[in-house]
Amino acid sequence: MEINRSNIYEIVNNSNARPSKDYGQNFLVEPDVCNHIVSSANLDKDDSVLEIGPGLGSLTHFITQQTNNLTVVDIDERMIAFLKLVYQNNINIVLEDIRSHDVSGYKKIIGNLPYNITSETIVYLLLNARKATKIVLMVQTDAYPHFSDIKGKEYGPSSVLLHLLGEPKKLFQVKAGSFYPVPKCDSTVFEINIENKCELEEAKQVYLFTKKLFLNRRKTISNNLLGVLKNKEKTIDILKQGNILPTARPEDISPLDYLKLYRIYNNYLLQN
């Protein structure tokens, strides 16, 4: 079923599926935008596809036209009931928090992420969607720099992880007026092409390592690393080996330099 401006009010009233603030629900009501998002994933008929937070199925309608193997996961029982009524047994419909769902087998992932779980969900996908080759997500525009920036105040562990496992690319903006109800800001659609610049398990360890180094963003990398190592001499030596200035801030260091720094740090741990 295509969700649009003409039928959205009738649907939410007749199905007891009014958008929930608790779940951060805003339904897309522009079919052209929905089609554009789905087309960006370059789906094949046999791709195993996951849709996150389908709601009333704004994107689902277009995904089902491009693949025979779709699973949708939503935490809201009302949305699940509506989707089962519309799609019956044609797609796999799962009532579950996406952060608990086994995402390891999907090749393509599409989703419109609520703001309050955006970061956590993207990290979860990166660490667990082992077979994914492309992820297409829509997030609130002010959240996008957390994953795309590789320097500056928005840059952090999530972006380090993303850039070690893939490349983010901004696709297009979606105006707030394209949703019901209208949110307070625009959204950004972007894709992650999985490239794996290092092994997944190593990327996970780098992510955990950088979380420690970003705990005090305004301190120098030397002070933050010293807090982890508890050894000033070794701290100086590791930074020197990594060709990283001790006075640099965590936000000044690139993802690949964090990978190098972790490897040097890990070798130190193995030797002691």
Side-chain angles (χ1 to χ4, degrees):
M1 174 188 291
E2 182 182 289
I3 306 297
N4 54 53
R5 295 182 184 277
S6 299
N7 63 16
I8 185 65
Y9 299 109
E10 180 181 358
I11 289 172
V12 297
N13 288 327
N14 292 343
S15 62
N16 188 32
R18 292 184 178 277
S20 166
K21 288 185 178 180
D22 290 341
Y23 291 138
Q25 291 170 338
N26 300 91
F27 304 134
L28 263 174
V29 292
E30 293 286 357
D32 288 345
V33 173
C34 297
N35 188 36
H36 193 181
I37 293 171
V38 174
S39 297
S40 300
N42 304 122
L43 302 180
D44 292 326
K45 281 292 183 182
D46 296 326
D47 282 343
S48 177
V49 181
L50 167 66
E51 183 188 357
I52 300 169
L56 296 172
S58 299
L59 299 179
T60 311
H61 170 76
F62 293 94
I63 299 173
T64 56
Q65 297 176 12
Q66 298 188 31
T67 182
N68 297 316
N69 189 2
L70 172 62
T71 296
V72 299
V73 177
D74 203 299
I75 197 173
D76 190 333
E77 294 181 359
R78 302 169 306 148
M79 304 304 154
I80 291 296
F82 178 81
L83 292 171
K84 286 183 175 179
L85 181 65
V86 173
Y87 292 98
Q88 300 181 14
N89 297 319
N90 294 325
I91 62 176
N92 185 27
I93 302 172
V94 179
L95 174 63
E96 191 174 13
D97 187 321
I98 187 59
R99 296 164 294 179
S100 301
H101 185 66
D102 180 4
V103 297
S104 61
Y106 299 105
K107 185 175 182 181
K108 304 284 180 67
I109 299 173
I110 302 173
N112 176 14
L113 303 185
Y115 185 81
N116 59 338
I117 63 167
T118 295
S119 180
E120 190 177 349
T121 300
I122 291 177
V123 169
Y124 180 78
L125 294 176
L126 290 169
L127 293 178
N128 295 281
R130 296 178 178 273
K131 293 185 179 179
T133 59
K134 184 186 284 287
I135 301 172
V136 176
L137 301 173
M138 180 163 57
V139 300
Q140 288 190 9
T141 294
D142 59 355
Y144 180 63
H146 296 307
F147 315 103
S148 59
D149 288 2
I150 54 173
K151 62 179 180 179
K153 65 178 182 178
E154 301 295 339
Y155 175 46
S158 298
S159 186
V160 172
L161 176 66
L162 193 158
H163 283 86
L164 290 180
L165 294 176
E167 283 296 330
K169 179 183 178 182
K170 181 179 177 180
L171 299 178
F172 55 92
Q173 294 285 109
V174 181
K175 294 296 185 181
S178 298
F179 297 88
Y180 169 78
V182 178
K184 294 180 180 179
C185 66
D186 294 344
S187 294
T188 294
V189 177
F190 71 105
E191 66 180 12
I192 304 171
N193 292 297
I194 305 299
E195 296 180 356
N196 294 325
K197 300 180 181 72
C198 64
E199 293 296 326
L200 179 59
E201 185 55 37
E202 184 178 40
K204 178 179 180 179
Q205 295 306 316
V206 175
Y207 170 68
L208 296 174
F209 177 61
T210 56
K211 285 185 73 174
K212 297 176 182 178
L213 299 182
F214 271 94
L215 278 177
N216 295 291
R217 298 181 64 98
R218 300 318 305 155
K219 287 187 176 182
T220 64
I221 192 65
S222 178
N223 283 333
N224 283 321
L225 184 56
L226 178 60
V228 175
L229 283 170
K230 312 299 183 184
N231 184 313
K232 187 173 182 179
E233 182 179 338
K234 203 60 193 180
T235 296
I236 295 172
D237 184 47
I238 287 176
L239 292 174
K240 184 177 181 180
Q241 289 184 55
N243 197 30
I244 294 173
L245 289 174
T247 55
R249 307 287 182 184
E251 63 193 41
D252 299 325
I253 299 170
S254 74
L256 288 179
D257 278 336
Y258 271 118
L259 174 61
K260 180 170 61 175
L261 187 62
Y262 167 76
R263 287 173 173 172
I264 298 169
Y265 163 78
N266 192 49
N267 285 335
Y268 164 74
L269 293 182
L270 294 173
Q271 293 169 10
N272 291 272

